[in-house]
Amino acid sequence: MRIFSGIQPTGRKHLGNYIGAISQYVESQDRGESIFCLVDLHAISVAYEPAELRERLYDTTAILLAAGLDPDRCILFRQSDVHEHTELCWLLSAVTSHGDLNRMTQFKDKSQKQRELVSSALFLYPVLQAADVLAYRAHEVPVGEDQRQHIELMREIARRFNERFGEGTLVEPDHRIPTVGARIMDLQDPASKMSTTGGTESGTVYVLEEPSRIAKKIKSAVTDSGSGVHRGEGKQGIANLIDILAAVRGTTPDAVEAEFEGSGYGDFKGAVADAVVSYLAPVRERYAELRPDEGELERVLSAGAGKAREIASGTLVDVREAMGVGAPSGTS
Ligand code: ATP
Ligand code: MG
């Protein structure tokens, strides 16, 4: 069983990333061969500061290590260190339909938010993402709900490649989307997902944020004028807090509703704030220890890239051979 996922090195990872993705990465180390990639080449598809990209990449690497990724039990690397990803992206673009890319919700959402340039990279993002996963012939991809459509497309790309160029060359991966907390919503705008690039500042809880700010954001979360700690019509804000509490406690939304039956919003929000603060506190502490040693972070990433390249280069040999690209294999 091989597990692969990528995360953008935007540094300020939030509670949605942590619950939807990072916590799944950590537990996947016990379930199979786990490979995680900091996707810096995806991060350049929207406006960014070159001088900051490396800093934020170190921040994100340290967050992942602080969360519990262990370089002895997983492969952790930087996407741009393994050139096979970009080569495979181009090769797969030959079996990716333009119409499918046009239908991607993430492209529609993010292209609307770009002020100066809607880059082709943003349009091709799902093809590079397909290459990230397919290069490792991964079986499973732990992601949040927002990535379901991209994983579907990735499966379609693998299927089309295999039909056209040779059955069994690429593996169609399954998504692994958590049952609780797969889509954490913005605390100030519970109709939109909590997001690194698109959300509101006061509605986004960052993994590394001061406990007092976290508590303040949760206690000021938008709810509704009614009462009753339960999910239902017009109660998206409360439903989101129920999900958050269930996810950080490792229980179900039903159990949270039962526990807070009859409670007011104030008490409930206080309990959610306390739970989130203690959930993130150990990560913040370990991060402070790990982040200053950039030499060590580089060492982890480059060792990871070496292991990743060994796997990906084998896939590329097969893909090039199947497509009739380059010299026939066996000659050199
Ligand atoms: P952006 O909004 O700019 O795309 P992001 O917040 O989605 O940034 P990514 O690095 O793209 O951050 O996502 C990393 C992982 O976190 C992905 O698996 C994604 O599905 C998951 N994820 C992102 N937002 C949420 C959320 N609000 N709830 C649960 N999971 C999420
Ligand atoms: Mg995203």
Side-chain angles (χ1 to χ4, degrees):
M1 164 80 125
R2 190 177 277 160
I3 300 162
F4 180 100
S5 199
I7 186 163
Q8 297 203 66
T10 33
R12 304 175 84 200
K13 301 322 282 187
H14 53 73
L15 183 63
N17 299 137
Y18 203 89
I19 291 174
I22 298 173
S23 67
Q24 294 206 79
Y25 301 172
V26 174
E27 59 98 355
S28 73
Q29 296 176 113
D30 300 323
R31 293 192 307 109
E33 182 186 7
S34 299
I35 309 177
F36 302 107
C37 180
L38 293 136
V39 293
D40 54 346
L41 299 176
H42 279 103
I44 65 171
S45 62
V46 293
Y48 78 102
E49 252 335 300
E52 280 182 13
L53 184 58
R54 291 197 180 99
E55 292 298 313
R56 299 293 87 82
L57 190 130
Y58 290 145
D59 296 348
T60 313
T61 306
I63 290 177
L64 293 176
L65 296 172
L69 287 192
D70 172 359
D72 292 329
R73 293 198 299 144
C74 72
I75 299 176
L76 178 62
F77 72 105
R78 172 170 46 209
Q79 184 183 34
S80 59
D81 286 344
V82 181
H83 296 172
E84 280 77 0
H85 292 235
T86 40
E87 182 180 353
L88 186 56
C89 173
W90 180 255
L91 296 171
L92 294 178
S93 72
V95 289
T96 306
S97 130
H98 183 277
D100 284 346
L101 290 178
N102 242 334
R103 276 189 287 278
M104 293 295 116
T105 318
Q106 178 176 292
F107 175 70
K108 290 184 202 161
D109 288 350
K110 289 194 179 179
S111 56
Q112 270 175 7
K113 288 179 188 138
Q114 295 311 301
R115 296 220 190 93
E116 283 173 11
L117 170 80
V118 176
S119 70
S120 314
L122 194 56
F123 187 70
L124 284 173
Y125 189 115
V127 190
L128 181 58
Q129 190 177 347
D132 295 338
V133 176
L134 300 180
Y136 298 89
R137 296 180 165 126
H139 305 107
E140 201 180 89
V141 191
V143 283
E145 172 64 40
D146 64 305
Q147 292 303 311
R148 184 186 291 273
Q149 193 184 33
H150 285 173
I151 309 290
E152 272 313 309
L153 176 62
M154 177 184 301
R155 291 172 60 86
E156 173 66 22
I157 292 172
R159 212 155 37 228
R160 206 173 286 146
F161 183 96
N162 286 345
E163 272 166 24
R164 171 79 179 83
F165 296 114
E167 287 305 331
T169 312
L170 296 176
V171 171
E172 264 183 63
D174 290 319
H175 58 68
R176 186 178 171 94
I177 296 175
T179 44
V180 181
R183 189 175 178 82
I184 301 298
M185 308 309 272
D186 189 292
L187 299 176
Q188 289 299 319
D189 174 17
S192 310
K193 86 164 182 92
M194 198 177 277
S195 156
T196 313
T197 48
T200 67
E201 181 66 25
S202 50
T204 307
V205 169
Y206 297 102
V207 174
L208 302 176
E209 206 157 29
E210 291 274 335
S212 61
R213 281 184 58 88
I214 296 181
K216 184 156 182 255
K217 285 181 175 181
I218 291 175
K219 288 178 184 164
S220 336
V222 167
T223 49
D224 54 86
S225 53
S227 62
V229 178
H230 57 81
R231 294 156 292 174
E233 185 74 25
K235 296 183 76 78
Q236 267 175 311
I238 283 293
N240 188 37
L241 294 174
I242 291 174
D243 252 24
I244 290 173
L245 187 56
V248 305
R249 282 198 186 160
T251 164
T252 63
D254 285 344
V256 170
E257 284 178 354
E259 180 181 340
F260 287 90
E261 203 182 332
S263 299
Y265 287 175
D267 288 347
F268 174 59
K269 284 177 168 180
V272 178
D274 289 346
V276 171
V277 164
S278 35
Y279 181 68
L280 295 177
V283 185
R284 189 160 173 266
E285 283 161 25
R286 280 197 295 272
Y287 174 89
E289 291 162 18
L290 296 165
R291 176 62 181 87
D293 193 350
E294 293 185 356
E296 175 60 14
L297 297 175
E298 256 324 316
R299 203 195 55 74
V300 166
L301 292 172
S302 94
K307 295 182 205 162
R309 201 175 301 118
E310 260 176 49
I311 305 172
S313 61
T315 308
L316 262 291
V317 167
D318 296 346
V319 166
R320 288 167 63 106
E321 180 66 14
M323 293 182 82
V325 166
S329 77
T331 61
S332 56

